[in-house]
């Protein structure tokens, strides 16, 4: 709808191409910013409620029905709060850092196809651009830690750099498998490749239904392993539990956001969630079929490409499911230690991701015919590799112990 | 390690179960223990205690007050949050009533020691807990009139305890009555002998009858001055003897021993701490006299 | 911060200043990072400070600093009668007011040779074991919270603790500051129906523990975070006077409930769980296993609870003969001792609390050296301190 | 009544080895001079008849100069009350147990006669558990422990000057204004209100 509206406006403004371009960008950017700001608000509510239920509490229930207006109340509180800047901090960078986090996260969203024709910046090298811009996040976080002039902030900033740089490699490597298999860096093409064409446009409604799922990359051995690696690395990349070391509240207070208050803190908060949306959005695009989902032929249309449920509904549904998983993980797991975190990245995820790339190449080039057997073999192989790697890393494998009693 | 991360998945199953169970009725009781405070009721139990209050019997707040300003609670209060000034009538004599009875509830820790030491069941613990006030200092300093609450209220918040206390009081009163009667008879019989003995006593020693510990009942009239004087002397002799025994009589005995203990503890404290209210100075006597004043009320 | 102590009466104490040194590494001249963790740090369990020197993230020096909550409890107690200190003992270790009461009552009873009625002894055992449950469950909750688990286990622990606190409130009138025990017995008898409710709570507790263990014990992250972290050797543990679960986690069998058999503990068969390695995981597990043993004791004590008076022939105000006594019990945190010196008056001449938390802190630096900052927090969590008791 | 199952400790061997030790009347505590204490404790710790490997409690006691009354039987066979001048002193009290042998309790007191400049010997070289507890004694009583490696204030702040657990300690007169029913505190506080520092806003 929005797209059609945008096209119509651009058509009307065709007389002056420059103006049309600016209006076009605005028309794409404004809904993006609004929608994701709303998503952010809803996610904070969801997170608070979900965590509360996991912890046997009720959660916010005073502001609005089910506490739904709690994010608004929080927002008002954040905006009206005093903005405290430490006297000895680097004021300019202290101000810039939260903006940079938000901007880089927001920019990443531009490459995600939310629905058919709903990619804000449809370029051929979207995946590369995505990772390039995501890398800016690291810089911003370190800037915040450095500029605050606080030892905890500095520790948090350094942890963030170490962690994000290490986890970016398995993240990219697992994305590489998809790029290899699809043969394109364009996110739209990657989504398109996950539809089984023959089924999706067939007359049989059952096949049509399945056609939208069966091609998801997550159902292939390399895709499955890739998705798990990608997901774990995404947790670390977005500083979510159990990899939330840069802001580990039990060790370094709040890490790099220790010295932030008021609206700047809210920006960090917002930026982090938007970053999480972006990375999850990429995960959906790469492995979970993007905006495709089980769908039906609308009764009013005979167009084989027409869908009953619009694509963006599927996309946001998937995003919130993944978000819920993040919340669930956050409610359950304790945090890793710095050295364990790093060794997990370098000694486990990275080799596994590399092996996964080889497996993907093998399947793509060698075992084209015997697909089923090759797939099973690849699954088993990947599992064995993962297990072997974990064995190798922990020479004195921690295990539950038996205890004896003295009478 | 059989499966990678199996422990983690087990843990996640537990949290998922907890998440889901909060939406079921059975789970709600078990797993959602939150009480929505202002709407849902409080959970006051039988012995719930917060801060003390003073009981009065009947309708009249001040007249029905059980407290006789014996100051035992003031002395025993561990954080020293009670402050008592005795009331005097026009003649400068003490009335068995506190003029000032302040409790600084910002200091009070609700330990219930005052309730335990009170021989008159006059101070008990309240279960009220909503004490938020606008003024941090002044409003949290409760004076006598704020502290006074009726016995009916006490019956309402701690029924069993209140009944026990009432029964205890009634029994004590009956015992006192009987004792008073007996003493009146005794006093009448000994009156003549006493008058004669008094002369001797002023020079030498007291008569043996007078030296036995006589506990005055709470509701009794103030004794005549001459009698008082004699008793003061007798007590002065009695006290050191009481102090020598390291362990005093058990508390949970008849009211007579209880009274005796109050006497001795009150007396010795009166000697040690010179912070006894200076009103007593009006009588112009020494320590014994002070102790006796304390006695006269209890 | 100066490392020298202030000069006092007497000759100057011998202090070996542990200085601030520059370390050279591959031509780089770097400083150690000195971080003051606390007194308002999220996971120092109260107003506690660790002056930590970090080489990167590795702890090279750690000094515990405390006293922020110091109120000179001992001096206060010397200024009031024996009974007057009883409510103040509640505030030592505010999780375990019942055991604190008991330890003090025990010392006082030793001093004036008081007999405690049997029913009171049983109720004391019940209360003490409930307190142990409260303390250990809270400790485990906070411990996992220190590991970074966003409070989920902690809130489960709070949920269970609430039930026990309700029991305490029902019996004593207050949830935490119970002030329930008296020299020679208890302040009041258990109310009607209390025992039934207590049985319910105790019977439900193992199910909760099962769930808790499922959530935590096999979790790989907890395993890697706690095993072989902060290893306390038994020799050092004995020498440093470590007591309680922390000592037993190092494999030393010393439980005062067995050794002293105070109260009626000799009537309950129970086992004392032992650790082998002495690391954080052992300390964590020993506490969980102790809870299971506590439940056994509780069940038996409730079954055998005799009828009778709850208060012996005990005076409320007493003057013990001149002398001194050291009474100790196995508190949930370790040996809680009360040392009373009497000069024959109604006030103690000297009143001393032997706080298990304070003594257990002695080895904190030894445990933390060479580990990461994150481990220091976890180790502190496994030591189990309550600042009300450390600072007194 | 509360029984201890621990074996009572026979003090004879240690008294034999250290003839200068005394046993305090009434309490049964060993009394030693600061100079001797390390040897005695080492003996108690290492001798197989004791093996007191666990130092439980360390504390101090402050005794001011007092006159003690004692009943004595004089030459004529009559009891009379004798007044004895007790010089001021300080005791450092140690409670020892044996974890390995389940033995206890042995109380050891270091008696310091010079109360104005109290110097004791630290047990930290032998027992780590003395570290914090001796620091606490130093902090609250001002007893200087020779041989303690890290003798600093433990509970009071570093700038604090006096030793609060001493019997003659006078609390500083620095009340803040706060409405209280206790008149004299209020009066004291009011005098401070004018002095600026230490007083309060009101």
């Amino acid at each position: 709808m929005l797209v059609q509206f945008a096209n119509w406006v651009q058509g009307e403004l065709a007389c002056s191409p420059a103006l049309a371009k600016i209006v076009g960008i605005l028309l794409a950017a404004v809904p993006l910013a609004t929608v994701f700001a709303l998503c952010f608000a809803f996610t904070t509510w969801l997170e608070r409620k979900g965590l509360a239920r996991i912890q046997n509490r009720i959660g916010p229930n005073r502001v609005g029905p089910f506490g739904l207006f709690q994010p608004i109340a929080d927002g008002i509180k954040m905006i009206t709060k005093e903005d405290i800047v430490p006297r000895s901090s680097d004021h300019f960078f202290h101000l810039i850092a939260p903006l940079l986090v938000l901007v880089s996260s927001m920019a990443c969203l531009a490459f995600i196809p939310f629905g058919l024709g709903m990619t804000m910046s449809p370029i051929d090298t979207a995946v590369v651009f995505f990772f390039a811009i995501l890398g800016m996040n690291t810089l911003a976080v370190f800037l915040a830690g450095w500029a605050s002039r606080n030892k905890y902030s500095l520790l948090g900033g350094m942890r963030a750099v170490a962690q994000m740089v290490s986890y970016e490699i398995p993240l990219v490597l697992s994305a590489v498998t998809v790029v290899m298999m699809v043969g394109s860096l364009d996110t739209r093409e990657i989504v398109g490749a996950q539809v089984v064409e023959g089924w999706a446009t067939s007359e049989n409604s059952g096949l049509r239904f399945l056609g939208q799922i069966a091609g998801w990359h997550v159902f292939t051995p390399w895709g499955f392993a890739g998705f798990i690696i990608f997901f774990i690395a995404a947790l670390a990349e977005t500083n979510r539990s159990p990899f939330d070391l840069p802001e580990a509240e039990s060790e370094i207070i709040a890490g790099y956001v220790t010295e932030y208050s008021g609206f700047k803190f809210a920006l960090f908060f917002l930026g982090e969630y938007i970053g999480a949306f972006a990375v999850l959005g990429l995960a959906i695009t790469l492995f979970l079929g993007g905006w495709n989902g089980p769908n039906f032929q609308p009764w009013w249309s005979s167009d084989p490409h027409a869908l009953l449920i619009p694509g963006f509904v599927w996309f946001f549904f998937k995003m919130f499911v993944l978000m819920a998983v993040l919340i669930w993980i956050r409610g359950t797991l304790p945090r890793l230690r710095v050295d364990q975190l790093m060794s997990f990245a370098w000694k486990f995820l990275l080799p596994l991701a590399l092996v996964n790339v080889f497996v993907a190449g093998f399947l793509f080039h060698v075992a084209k015919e015997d697909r089923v057997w090759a797939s099973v073999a690849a699954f088993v192989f990947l599992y064995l590799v993962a297990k072997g790697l974990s064995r190798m890393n922990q020479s004195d494998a921690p295990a539950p112990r038996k205890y004896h009693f003295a009478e | 390690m059989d499966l990678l991360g199996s422990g983690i998945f087990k843990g996640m199953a537990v949290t998922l179960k907890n998440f889901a169970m909060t939406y079921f009725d059975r789970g709600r009781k078990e797993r959602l223990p939150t009480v929505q405070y202002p709407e849902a009721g409080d959970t006051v139990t039988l012995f719930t205690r917060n801060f003390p209050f003073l009981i009065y019997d009947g309708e009249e707040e001040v007249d029905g007050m059980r407290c006789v300003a014996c100051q035992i609670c003031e002395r025993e209060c561990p954080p020293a949050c009670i402050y008592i000034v005795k009331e005097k009538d026009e003649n400068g004599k003490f009335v068995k009533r506190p003029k000032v009875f302040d409790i600084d509830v910002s200091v009070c820790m609700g330990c219930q020691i005052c309730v335990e030491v009170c021989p008159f069941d006059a101070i008990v613990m309240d279960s009220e807990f909503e004490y938020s006030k606008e003024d941090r200092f002044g409003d949290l300093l409760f004076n006598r009139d704020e502290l006074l609450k009726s016995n009916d209220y006490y019956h309402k918040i701690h029924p069993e305890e209140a009944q026990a206390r009432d029964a205890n009081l009634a029994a004590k009163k009956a015992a006192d009555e009987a004792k008073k009667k007996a003493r009146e008879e005794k006093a009448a019989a000994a009156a003549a002998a006493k008058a004669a003995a008094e002369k001797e006593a002023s020079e030498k020693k007291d008569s043996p009858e007078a030296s036995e510990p006589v506990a005055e009942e709470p509701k009794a009239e103030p004794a005549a001055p001459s009698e008082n004087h004699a008793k003061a002397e007798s007590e002065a002799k009695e006290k050191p003897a009481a102090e020598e025994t390291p362990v005093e009589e058990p508390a949970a005995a008849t009211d007579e021993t209880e009274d005796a203990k109050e006497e001795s503890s009150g007396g010795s404290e009166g000697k040690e701490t010179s912070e006894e209210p200076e009103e007593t100075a009006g009588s112009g006597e020494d320590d014994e006299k002070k102790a006796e004043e304390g006695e006269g009320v209890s | 911060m100066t490392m020298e102590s202030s000069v006092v009466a007497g000759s100057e104490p011998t202090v070996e200043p542990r200085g601030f040194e520059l370390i050279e590494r591959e031509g780089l001249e770097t400083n150690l990072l000195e971080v003051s963790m606390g007194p308002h740090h999220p996971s120092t369990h109260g107003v506690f400070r660790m002056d930590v020197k970090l080489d990167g993230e590795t702890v090279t020096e750690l000094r515990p600093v405390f006293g922020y909550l110091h109120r000179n409890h001992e001096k206060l107690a010397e200024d009031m009668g024996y009974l007057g200190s009883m409510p103040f003992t509640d505030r030592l270790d505010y999780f375990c007011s019942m055991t604190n009461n008991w330890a003090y009552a025990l010392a006082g009873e030793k001093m004036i040779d008081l007999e405690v009625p049997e029913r009171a002894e049983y109720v004391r055992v019940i209360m003490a074991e409930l307190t142990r449950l409260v303390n250990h469950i809270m400790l485990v909750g906070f411990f996992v919270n220190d590991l970074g688990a966003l409070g989920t286990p902690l809130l489960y622990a709070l949920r269970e603790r609430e039930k026990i606190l309700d029991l305490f409130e029902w019996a004593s009138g207050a949830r935490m500051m119970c002030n329930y025990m008296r020299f020679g017995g208890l302040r009041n008898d258990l109310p009607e129906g209390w025992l039934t409710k207590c049985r319910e709570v105790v019977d439900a507790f193992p199910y909760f523990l099962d769930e808790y263990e499922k959530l935590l014990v096999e979790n790989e992250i907890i395993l890697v975070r706690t095993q072989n972290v902060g290893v306390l050797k038994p020799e050092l543990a004995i020498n440093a006077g470590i007591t309680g679960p922390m000592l037993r986690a190092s494999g030393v069998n010393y439980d005062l409930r067995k050794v002293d058999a105070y109260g009626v503990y000799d009537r309950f068969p129970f086992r004392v769980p032992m650790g082998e390695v002495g690391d954080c995981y052992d300390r964590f597990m020993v506490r969980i296993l102790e809870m299971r043993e506590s439940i056994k004791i509780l069940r038996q004590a409730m079954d055998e609870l005799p009828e009778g008076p709850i208060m012996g022939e005990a005076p409320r105000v007493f003057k013990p003969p001149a002398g001194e006594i050291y009474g100790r019990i196995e508190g949930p945190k370790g040996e809680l001792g009360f040392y009373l010196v009497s000069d024959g008056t109604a006030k103690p001449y000297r009143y001393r609390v032997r706080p298990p938390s304070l003594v257990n802190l002695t080895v904190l630096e030894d445990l933390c050296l060479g580990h990461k900052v994150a481990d220091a927090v976890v180790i502190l969590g496994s030591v189990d301190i309550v600042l009300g008791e450390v600072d007194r | 009544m509360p029984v201890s199952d621990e074996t009572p400790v026979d003090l004879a061997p240690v008294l034999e080895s250290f003839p200068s030790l005394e046993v305090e009347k009434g309490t049964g505590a060993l009394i030693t001079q600061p100079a001797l204490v390390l040897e005695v404790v080492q003996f108690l710790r290492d001798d197989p008849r004791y093996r007191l490997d666990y130092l439980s409690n360390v504390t101090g006691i402050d005794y001011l100069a007092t006159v003690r009354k004692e009943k004595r039987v004089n030459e004529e066979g009559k009891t009379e009350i004798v007044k004895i001048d007790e010089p001021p002193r300080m005791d450092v009290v140690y409670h020892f147990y044996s974890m390995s042998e389940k033995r206890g309790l042995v109380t050891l007191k270091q008696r310091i006669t010079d109360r104005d400049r109290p110097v004791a010997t630290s047990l930290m070289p032998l027992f780590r558990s003395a570290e914090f507890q001796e620091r606490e004694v130093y902090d609250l009583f001002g007893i200087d422990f020779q041989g303690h490696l890290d003798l600093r204030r433990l509970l009071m702040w570093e700038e604090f000057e006096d030793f609060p657990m001493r019997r003659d300690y006078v609390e500083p007169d620095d009340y803040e204004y706060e409405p209280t029913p206790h008149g004299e505190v209020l009066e004291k506080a009011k005098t401070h209100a004018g002095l600026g520092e230490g007083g309060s806003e009101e």
Side-chain angles (χ1 to χ4, degrees), chain A residues 354-400:
Chain A
L354 281 172
V355 170
N356 192 34
V357 171
F358 283 113
V359 169
F362 175 79
L363 285 178
F364 187 67
H365 287 292
V366 183
K368 262 186 180 163
E369 287 82 45
D370 226 352
R371 275 195 100 148
V372 177
W373 285 111
S375 293
V376 171
F379 260 122
V380 172
F381 176 65
L382 280 171
Y383 179 72
L384 288 178
V385 167
K387 203 159 175 180
L389 279 172
S390 72
R391 270 287 154 72
M392 242 155 63
N393 289 334
Q394 295 150 348
S395 47
D396 50 340

Side-chain angles (χ1 to χ4, degrees), chain C residues 94-112:
Chain C
Y94 38 77
F95 285 127
C96 318
S97 62
M98 288 286 192
T99 45
N100 296 347
N101 283 175
W102 193 1
Y104 183 45
L106 194 80
E109 284 153 10
K110 265 188 179 177
M111 198 140 209
I112 53 176

Side-chain angles (χ1 to χ4, degrees), chain A residues 150-284:
Chain A
N150 176 317
K151 285 167 184 167
Y152 294 114
S153 299
L154 185 63
L155 275 176
M158 296 200 308
R159 281 181 177 191
V161 171
Q163 168 182 332
M164 287 169 154
V165 166
S166 335
Y167 276 86
E168 214 146 88
I169 298 165
L171 191 74
V172 173
L173 277 180
S174 58
V176 160
T177 51
V178 178
V179 175
M180 273 166 59
M181 297 305 265
V182 177
S184 167
L185 282 166
D186 191 339
T187 44
R188 289 166 303 168
E189 276 188 40
I190 292 171
V191 171
Q194 294 180 62
V195 180
V196 185
E197 266 313 313
W199 291 2
T201 50
S202 85
E203 291 296 313
N204 185 331
S205 66
L207 269 186
R208 206 178 146 79
F209 187 84
L210 278 177
Q212 305 279 351
I213 320 180
W216 292 7
H217 289 149
V218 75
F219 299 127
T220 59
W222 54 270
F224 184 72
F227 176 66
I228 287 174
I229 295 166
F230 191 93
F231 193 74
I232 292 172
L235 285 176
E237 195 65 19
T238 53
N239 298 334
R240 297 282 312 190
S241 175
F243 305 106
D244 51 350
L245 287 112
E247 41 196 303
E249 86 286 340
S250 67
E251 295 144 27
I252 49 170
I253 320 285
Y256 58 90
V257 285
T258 307
E259 295 290 355
Y260 282 91
S261 66
F263 198 61
K264 283 183 198 161
F265 177 73
L267 284 183
F268 262 114
F269 208 50
L270 179 63
E272 257 174 41
Y273 273 88
I274 302 271
F277 290 144
V279 177
L280 289 185
L282 191 68
I284 292 166

Side-chain angles (χ1 to χ4, degrees), chain D residues 56-107:
Chain D
S56 166
N57 182 34
V58 182
T59 190
I61 311 179
D62 182 19
Y63 293 98
L64 295 176
T66 47
V67 180
R68 182 162 55 98
K69 285 177 190 165
E70 203 177 285
K71 276 183 192 164
R72 271 191 198 164
V73 184
N74 59 10
E75 304 90 50
E76 295 158 31
K78 283 181 184 173
T79 49
E80 58 172 18
I81 293 171
V82 189
K83 288 182 179 177
I84 306 164
D85 283 323
E86 289 265 328
R89 64 166 202 268
M90 278 193 181
D91 282 355
V92 183
V93 187
Y94 298 89
H95 290 101
F96 288 99
Y97 286 93
S98 168
M99 274 189 188
S100 48
E101 314 272 321
K102 309 272 189 289
R103 226 181 250 149
L105 148 81
V106 173
T107 313

Side-chain angles (χ1 to χ4, degrees), chain C residues 20-33:
Chain C
F20 197 104
E21 67 259 39
L22 290 174
I23 47 171
E24 288 250 347
R25 185 171 299 161
E26 292 161 24
L28 264 177
E29 201 175 72
T30 51
N31 258 344
L32 294 177
L33 183 64

Side-chain angles (χ1 to χ4, degrees), chain B residues 5-8 10-11 14 17-18 30-31 33 43 45 47-49 78 109 111-112 116 243 246 251 261, chain C residues 80 84 87-88 91 156 159 169-174 177-179 182 187-188 211 215 218-220 314 316 319:
Chain B
S6 62
I8 287 175
K10 266 187 195 170
V14 170
K17 184 178 150 205
N18 273 288
E30 277 290 303
R31 311 201 183 249
T43 54
T45 61
F47 294 116
T48 300
R49 58 187 151 95
M109 56 186 192
C111 64
Q112 211 173 357
E116 279 168 52
E243 269 170 15
K261 195 169 62 58
Chain C
M80 62 182 87
F88 283 115
R91 283 133 179 100
Y156 293 169
R159 186 189 75 203
E169 187 185 10
W170 196 4
S172 73
M177 304 297 135
C178 298
N179 187 18
R182 291 287 176 270
R187 199 188 61 220
N188 52 268
E211 191 180 285
L215 174 62
E218 285 174 38
N219 189 317
E220 278 84 357
R316 199 161 45 212
K319 290 174 189 159

